[in-house]
Amino acid sequence: MENFDFTLIDWSRAQFALTALYHWLFVPLTLGITFILAIMETIYYKTGNPEWKKITKFWMTLFGINFAIGVATGIILEFEFGTNWSNYSWFVGDIFGAPLAIEGIMAFFMESTFIAIMFFGWNKVSKGFHLTATWLTAIGSNLSALWILVANGWMQNPIGMIFNPDTARNEMVDFWAILFSPTAINKFLHTIFSSYILAAIFVIGISAWYLLKKREVILAKKSILIASVFGLIFTIMTVFTGDESAREIATSQPMKFAAMEGMYHGSSNAPLIAAGILKDDPTVENPKKQDFFFELKIPSALSYMAFLDANAFVPGIYDLVHGNEDQEIMSYYEKIERGTVARNALSDYKLAKKSEDKILADSLRANFEDEEWMNSNFKYFGYSYFDDPHDIIPNVPISFYSFHIMVVLGGHFGILFLGMLFFSLKNKLENKRWLLWVALWTMPLAYLASESGWIIAEMGRQPWVIQDLMPTMTAVSNIDSTSVIITFWLFFAVFTALLIAEIKIMLKQIKIGPNEGGH
Amino acid sequence: MLIFKKIFNFYYTGFKEMNIGKQLWIIILIKLFIMFAILKLFFFPNFLKSKFETDEERSDYVIEQLTNPK
């Protein structure tokens, strides 16, 4: 551990987090609002009512602003892979490259082509063709997200590859296993469905503002009706995919699962902390019972959520670090030893090749082709860099709070959609000014929940950049930390300027409203 | 040829008739310039590509980094 430059590692992580968090301010709205637009335009296509065309065009303009400001912000992440994270980029080989290449091609051909028809094609192409372009834009943007999330899913649960000790690269052997990995599928569905919620809240929030201002009443009411139904459906879907994701995490990333619940000691019939405030952060050497200033528990719910069995044992942080023989949980100490065997084998293989000791090199190489040896040792390769179990535990308060903020806000969104739908159907929305204010102020909360989801996904899996195989500290390039610090602040300036531009242009366009505002 | 002319006209009139889109395109172009002409060029060289000639050298370097991190 003392060999690593933690100034470089921390600034590289901070830069990546900054870029990813800013990028994610733009993406979820694009993923969701394109489908809302497609639904609105479908109603226009079916009814021929010009009001729906006006509504569609208005939301399309806001989508266009978000898309224009956000487009290509993700490319910076790819710059960072090549410069700051070169060991990682090399180690992942074609597994990360292939999905990103597909994403690039798909984004370019599908989104770019059909977005042009969406914006320029009114009255120039047939109504049916325009509608098809709108649907394909929605599908295309979501398929782009699929490939990114497949790559991310592989980092959380690496499968479908073999490690080549000659090149130090992982090579894809089963594309379909990577694409249809439960981690990737759950991550994709949970991410896009929660993005649909954010888009629905965006539409409802702006419509609520119009109703509060007694402007654009028809547009606002119709938009709220569509968005609240859309939001409600995908809140339910998000609950289901979140539940599936939790089960997946409990199996493939049990430490993240324990940190999400602030659970130091595992138990059978483990309760779910529905809400709580952590009192302290006990260490592994000095473990205490999990301690909360305030906690709202649901008995046995965590066991059921993790393993569909209320009596199941859910391991805590302490069980994972020290192991638990009764529950057949291997300790981190043992994993460190096994990972060290794998790392030494790689090191010895390299030396044997260098000294042209073919017999030794062949026997060492055989290990990397032996599935049993790989599962017993190489599977824990990343643990070899640690000697203190503290360093393999993610930040528990960040994991706990980001997870609970996401879940609690998810509940709030569901209730809001129900309320908006109920009063919308009763045609009493305009009288419920308190609800309209709640809807308006829920807009930033939707972004908070969405970012919290990424924080738990990425901070909860620390210290791994690739689960169990590569810790963050070995993934970084051996570069000068000063350059990373400079580019961190450059990005901060560029992204903040973009965000300010987006908010200003968006607010201006909302104030103009649908009548004068064109594309 | 007619189809290409139609496509050209489609985009040409589309861009010409843009309202807020013009402002957005300016932002996109400035952003792309900053990203590719400044950030990528001066601050984000590909570390392994710029340091080594061949994939073999890159592999050796990464294996060294992984087995003997400094």
Side-chain angles (χ1 to χ4, degrees), chain A residues 261-293:
Chain A
E261 280 294 297
M263 188 168 167
Y264 280 84
H265 290 265
S267 68
S268 303
N269 302 104
L272 179 76
I273 309 293
I277 297 174
L278 289 168
K279 197 170 187 179
D280 53 20
D281 186 11
T283 64
V284 173
E285 269 73 27
N286 183 23
K288 301 170 189 173
K289 284 282 177 193
Q290 60 185 24
D291 208 356
F292 291 87
F293 279 113

Coordinates of all heavy atoms in Angstrom, one line a residue, chain A residues 261-293:
Chain A
E261 N -26.5 -0.9 4.1 CA -27.4 -1.0 5.3 C -26.7 -0.7 6.6 O -27.3 -0.8 7.7 CB -27.9 -2.5 5.4 CG -29.1 -2.7 4.5 CD -30.3 -1.9 4.9 OE1 -30.9 -2.1 6.0 OE2 -30.8 -1.1 4.1
G262 N -25.4 -0.3 6.5 CA -24.7 0.1 7.7 C -24.6 -1.1 8.7 O -24.7 -1.0 9.9
M263 N -24.4 -2.3 8.1 CA -24.6 -3.5 8.9 C -23.2 -4.1 9.2 O -22.5 -4.7 8.3 CB -25.4 -4.5 8.0 CG -25.8 -5.7 8.7 SD -27.0 -6.6 7.7 CE -27.0 -8.1 8.5
Y264 N -22.7 -4.0 10.4 CA -21.4 -4.5 10.7 C -21.4 -6.0 11.1 O -20.5 -6.7 10.9 CB -20.8 -3.7 11.9 CG -20.2 -2.4 11.3 CD1 -21.0 -1.3 11.1 CD2 -18.9 -2.3 11.0 CE1 -20.5 -0.1 10.6 CE2 -18.4 -1.2 10.4 CZ -19.2 -0.1 10.2 OH -18.6 1.0 9.7
H265 N -22.5 -6.4 11.8 CA -22.6 -7.8 12.2 C -23.8 -8.5 11.4 O -24.9 -8.0 11.5 CB -22.9 -7.9 13.7 CG -21.6 -7.5 14.4 ND1 -20.7 -8.4 14.9 CD2 -21.2 -6.3 14.8 CE1 -19.7 -7.8 15.5 NE2 -20.0 -6.5 15.5
G266 N -23.5 -9.6 10.8 CA -24.6 -10.2 10.0 C -25.5 -11.0 11.0 O -25.2 -11.2 12.1
S267 N -26.7 -11.3 10.4 CA -27.6 -12.1 11.3 C -28.6 -12.8 10.4 O -28.8 -12.4 9.2 CB -28.4 -11.2 12.2 OG -29.2 -10.3 11.6
S268 N -29.3 -13.8 10.9 CA -30.4 -14.4 10.3 C -31.6 -13.4 10.6 O -31.5 -12.6 11.5 CB -30.7 -15.8 10.8 OG -29.6 -16.6 10.6
N269 N -32.7 -13.5 9.9 CA -33.8 -12.6 10.1 C -33.4 -11.2 10.1 O -33.9 -10.4 11.0 CB -34.6 -13.0 11.3 CG -35.1 -14.4 11.3 OD1 -34.5 -15.3 12.0 ND2 -36.1 -14.7 10.5
A270 N -32.4 -10.8 9.3 CA -31.9 -9.5 9.3 C -32.9 -8.4 9.0 O -33.7 -8.6 8.0 CB -30.7 -9.3 8.4
P271 N -33.0 -7.4 9.8 CA -34.0 -6.3 9.6 C -33.5 -5.4 8.5 O -32.3 -5.1 8.4 CB -34.2 -5.6 10.9 CG -32.8 -5.8 11.6 CD -32.3 -7.1 11.1
L272 N -34.5 -4.8 7.8 CA -34.2 -3.7 6.8 C -34.3 -2.4 7.5 O -35.3 -2.1 8.2 CB -35.2 -3.8 5.7 CG -35.0 -2.8 4.6 CD1 -33.8 -3.1 3.7 CD2 -36.3 -2.7 3.7
I273 N -33.2 -1.6 7.4 CA -33.3 -0.2 8.0 C -34.0 0.7 6.9 O -33.4 1.1 5.9 CB -31.9 0.4 8.3 CG1 -31.1 -0.6 9.1 CG2 -32.0 1.7 9.0 CD1 -31.6 -0.9 10.5
A274 N -35.3 0.9 7.2 CA -36.1 1.7 6.2 C -35.6 3.2 6.2 O -35.5 3.8 5.2 CB -37.6 1.7 6.5
A275 N -35.2 3.7 7.4 CA -34.7 5.0 7.5 C -33.8 5.0 8.8 O -34.2 4.3 9.7 CB -35.8 6.1 7.6
G276 N -32.8 5.8 8.8 CA -32.0 5.9 10.1 C -30.9 6.9 9.9 O -30.6 7.4 8.9
I277 N -30.3 7.2 11.1 CA -29.2 8.1 11.2 C -28.1 7.4 11.9 O -28.2 7.0 13.1 CB -29.5 9.5 11.9 CG1 -30.6 10.2 11.0 CG2 -28.3 10.3 12.0 CD1 -31.1 11.4 11.7
L278 N -27.0 7.1 11.2 CA -25.8 6.4 11.8 C -25.2 7.2 12.9 O -25.0 8.4 12.8 CB -24.7 6.2 10.7 CG -25.0 5.2 9.6 CD1 -24.0 5.3 8.5 CD2 -25.0 3.8 10.1
K279 N -25.0 6.5 14.0 CA -24.4 7.2 15.2 C -22.9 7.2 15.1 O -22.3 8.3 15.3 CB -24.8 6.4 16.5 CG -24.6 7.2 17.7 CD -25.2 6.4 18.9 CE -25.3 7.3 20.2 NZ -25.9 6.5 21.2
D280 N -22.3 6.1 14.7 CA -20.8 6.1 14.5 C -20.5 5.1 13.5 O -21.3 4.4 13.0 CB -20.1 5.9 15.9 CG -20.6 4.6 16.6 OD1 -21.2 3.8 15.9 OD2 -20.4 4.5 17.8
D281 N -19.2 5.0 13.2 CA -18.7 4.2 12.2 C -17.7 3.2 12.8 O -16.5 3.4 12.8 CB -18.0 5.0 11.1 CG -17.6 4.2 9.9 OD1 -18.0 3.1 9.8 OD2 -16.9 4.8 9.1
P282 N -18.2 2.1 13.4 CA -17.3 1.2 14.1 C -16.2 0.6 13.2 O -16.5 0.4 12.0 CB -18.2 0.2 14.7 CG -19.4 0.3 14.0 CD -19.6 1.6 13.5
T283 N -15.1 0.4 13.7 CA -14.0 -0.2 12.8 C -14.1 -1.7 12.9 O -14.7 -2.2 13.8 CB -12.6 0.3 13.3 OG1 -12.4 -0.2 14.6 CG2 -12.5 1.8 13.2
V284 N -13.4 -2.3 12.0 CA -13.4 -3.8 12.1 C -12.6 -4.3 13.3 O -13.0 -5.3 13.9 CB -12.8 -4.4 10.8 CG1 -12.6 -5.9 10.8 CG2 -13.7 -4.0 9.6
E285 N -11.5 -3.6 13.7 CA -10.8 -4.0 14.8 C -11.6 -3.8 16.1 O -11.4 -4.5 17.1 CB -9.4 -3.3 14.9 CG -8.3 -4.0 14.2 CD -8.5 -3.9 12.7 OE1 -9.1 -2.9 12.3 OE2 -8.0 -4.8 12.0
N286 N -12.4 -2.8 16.1 CA -13.1 -2.4 17.3 C -14.6 -2.4 17.0 O -15.3 -1.4 17.0 CB -12.7 -1.0 17.8 CG -13.4 -0.6 19.0 OD1 -13.8 -1.5 19.8 ND2 -13.5 0.7 19.3
P287 N -15.1 -3.6 16.7 CA -16.5 -3.7 16.2 C -17.5 -3.4 17.3 O -17.4 -3.9 18.4 CB -16.6 -5.1 15.7 CG -15.6 -5.9 16.4 CD -14.5 -5.0 16.8
K288 N -18.5 -2.7 17.0 CA -19.7 -2.5 17.9 C -20.9 -3.0 17.1 O -20.9 -3.2 15.9 CB -19.8 -1.1 18.3 CG -18.6 -0.4 18.9 CD -18.8 1.1 19.0 CE -17.6 1.8 19.4 NZ -17.7 3.2 19.3
K289 N -21.9 -3.2 17.9 CA -23.2 -3.4 17.2 C -23.5 -2.2 16.4 O -23.2 -1.1 16.8 CB -24.3 -3.7 18.2 CG -24.2 -5.0 18.8 CD -24.8 -6.1 17.9 CE -24.6 -7.5 18.4 NZ -24.9 -8.5 17.4
Q290 N -24.2 -2.4 15.2 CA -24.5 -1.2 14.4 C -25.3 -0.2 15.3 O -26.2 -0.6 16.1 CB -25.3 -1.5 13.2 CG -26.6 -2.3 13.4 CD -27.2 -2.7 12.1 OE1 -26.5 -2.8 11.1 NE2 -28.5 -2.8 12.0
D291 N -25.0 1.0 15.2 CA -25.5 2.0 16.2 C -26.1 3.1 15.4 O -25.5 3.7 14.6 CB -24.4 2.4 17.1 CG -24.8 2.8 18.4 OD1 -26.1 2.8 18.6 OD2 -24.0 3.2 19.2
F292 N -27.4 3.4 15.8 CA -28.1 4.5 15.1 C -28.6 5.5 16.1 O -29.1 5.1 17.2 CB -29.3 3.9 14.3 CG -28.8 3.1 13.1 CD1 -28.6 1.8 13.2 CD2 -28.7 3.7 11.8 CE1 -28.2 1.0 12.1 CE2 -28.3 2.9 10.7 CZ -28.1 1.6 10.9
F293 N -28.6 6.7 15.8 CA -29.4 7.7 16.6 C -30.8 7.4 16.5 O -31.6 7.6 17.5 CB -29.1 9.1 16.1 CG -27.8 9.7 16.6 CD1 -26.8 10.0 15.7 CD2 -27.6 10.0 17.9 CE1 -25.6 10.5 16.1 CE2 -26.4 10.5 18.4 CZ -25.4 10.7 17.5

